[in-house]
Amino acid sequence: SAMETMGLRLTEGERMAKSGDVVVGEFTAYSFRDTLRPEGSDTVDRWGGGWDENGNLINVPDPYFNIMREPLTMEIALENGRTFTVPLHVTGVAKEDYSKGTETSEGILMSLSDLEKIAEKARPGKKKAQNYTSVLVKVTDISRVADAEKKIKAMGFGTESMESIRKPMEEQARQKQMMLGGLGAISLIVAAIGITNTMIMSISERTKEIGIMKALGCYVRDIRLLFLAEAAAIGLAGGVVSCVISLIASLAVNLASLGLSAESLHTAVFGGGAARISVIPPWLLVFAVVFSVFIGLGSGYYPANKAVQIPALEAIKSD
């Protein structure tokens, strides 16, 4: 009854309903050997077909038998050398998921009550507390993992989860982001100063032009808009060029990791799995261009105001 709650999925069949029912792992059938074949060629190689780009097995051959249709018998070996058998009725096949345990791949899942009966029969008269090597705990939300781990550790048990891996990775990513963000901020300040300097020089060289525009009756807002548009155009050009350079660099990194071939070129450009190292989403390119335009406008605001404050007569006399 806990299979669905714990996220265990089935590829075929259904979960256990009564005593003696079991669910087998997705590839449990491949663990059986054909005793009539010579050693070394008595099993079906499920790995021979290779993997697809998502890491899934492809071209998997069929096992020797359909594990859902054949009766299974489990043989238990006792300490005194005797054995006894337990008949198993397979009701379903679990989807392989190593996060739930290796039994979803090549094992058998049965109800706890059936397992306790087998253990009692294997050790008759030995009544003692049952020990477990591990316990799988599932929380209702990922945000509660840290709190659950803290409580379990307070009980004296060790824990293992993606949380212990995720936190150091997040910390490393945050440090890299801060470092790259600092470099980006310095570059941004330098670029803004460069745009401002360029616009001030442009205004100084076009002082007479500004005076003529004023003498002809141009509105102050139009003159300001003219220089702001030039500053925005500089930002736009810088943003587009930077995006092109970033795309080329990203393509080069992906090709270096994938190798040079027509297939790897297609994967490096269009994706198709988790093989690409560098991925630049389209929204980031659009944001970079728009942000560059706003940086240009912000950098050109002071020079544009300076341009409209020049008296017309003084500007016309300027050489």
Side-chain angles (χ1 to χ4, degrees), residues 114-132:
D114 285 348
L115 183 62
E116 288 173 342
K117 290 178 183 178
I118 294 174
E120 184 179 350
K121 188 175 181 179
R123 294 189 296 268
K126 296 181 180 180
K127 297 291 183 180
K128 63 177 183 179
Q130 180 64 50
N131 295 322
Y132 297 94

Side-chain angles (χ1 to χ4, degrees), residues 21-226:
D21 290 350
V22 297
V23 169
V24 297
E26 184 173 1
F27 301 108
T28 301
Y30 293 89
S31 299
F32 287 84
R33 299 178 181 274
D34 185 348
T35 56
L36 300 181
R37 294 173 181 264
E39 187 176 352
S41 60
D42 54 352
T43 58
V44 178
D45 181 16
R46 65 184 175 97
W47 311 98
W51 290 265
D52 61 13
E53 57 190 12
N54 296 318
N56 299 317
L57 285 171
I58 57 175
N59 302 323
V60 180
D62 294 329
Y64 287 132
F65 68 103
N66 188 329
I67 200 167
M68 286 281 293
R69 297 178 183 175
E70 298 292 336
L72 297 182
T73 302
M74 180 166 60
E75 186 178 276
I76 309 296
L78 305 179
E79 295 177 354
N80 57 11
R82 295 189 300 108
T83 62
F84 70 92
T85 59
V86 178
L88 302 177
H89 175 236
V90 180
T91 62
V93 178
K95 173 66 177 175
E96 184 181 48
D97 185 353
Y98 280 107
S99 65
K100 304 294 188 301
T102 56
E103 59 272 12
T104 59
S105 177
E106 297 178 317
I108 297 176
L109 296 95
M110 64 174 58
S111 69
L112 186 60
S113 59
D114 285 348
L115 183 62
E116 288 173 342
K117 290 178 183 178
I118 294 174
E120 184 179 350
K121 188 175 181 179
R123 294 189 296 268
K126 296 181 180 180
K127 297 291 183 180
K128 63 177 183 179
Q130 180 64 50
N131 295 322
Y132 297 94
T133 57
S134 63
V135 175
L136 186 63
V137 179
K138 183 178 180 180
V139 295
T140 55
D141 189 81
I142 192 171
S143 61
R144 304 187 64 180
V145 174
D147 184 50
E149 280 196 298
K150 184 178 180 181
K151 291 181 179 179
I152 293 173
K153 288 179 179 178
M155 297 166 63
F157 300 104
T159 62
E160 181 181 347
S161 72
M162 291 302 295
E163 186 75 9
S164 57
I165 302 174
R166 184 176 63 87
K167 281 190 174 181
M169 290 179 65
E170 283 187 346
E171 185 64 27
Q172 292 178 6
R174 194 176 298 111
Q175 291 176 357
K176 292 178 180 178
Q177 286 176 347
M178 291 179 64
M179 180 182 68
L180 294 175
L183 293 174
I186 294 173
S187 302
L188 192 63
I189 294 172
V190 172
I193 293 174
I195 294 175
T196 302
N197 184 55
T198 301
M199 293 305 300
I200 290 175
M201 290 179 62
S202 176
I203 291 167
S204 300
E205 294 174 356
R206 297 161 63 185
T207 303
K208 191 170 185 178
E209 180 184 333
I210 295 171
I212 294 173
M213 285 190 290
K214 285 189 173 184
L216 292 175
C218 289
Y219 291 108
V220 170
R221 65 173 181 272
D222 292 334
I223 299 174
R224 181 186 290 111
L225 184 61
L226 173 65

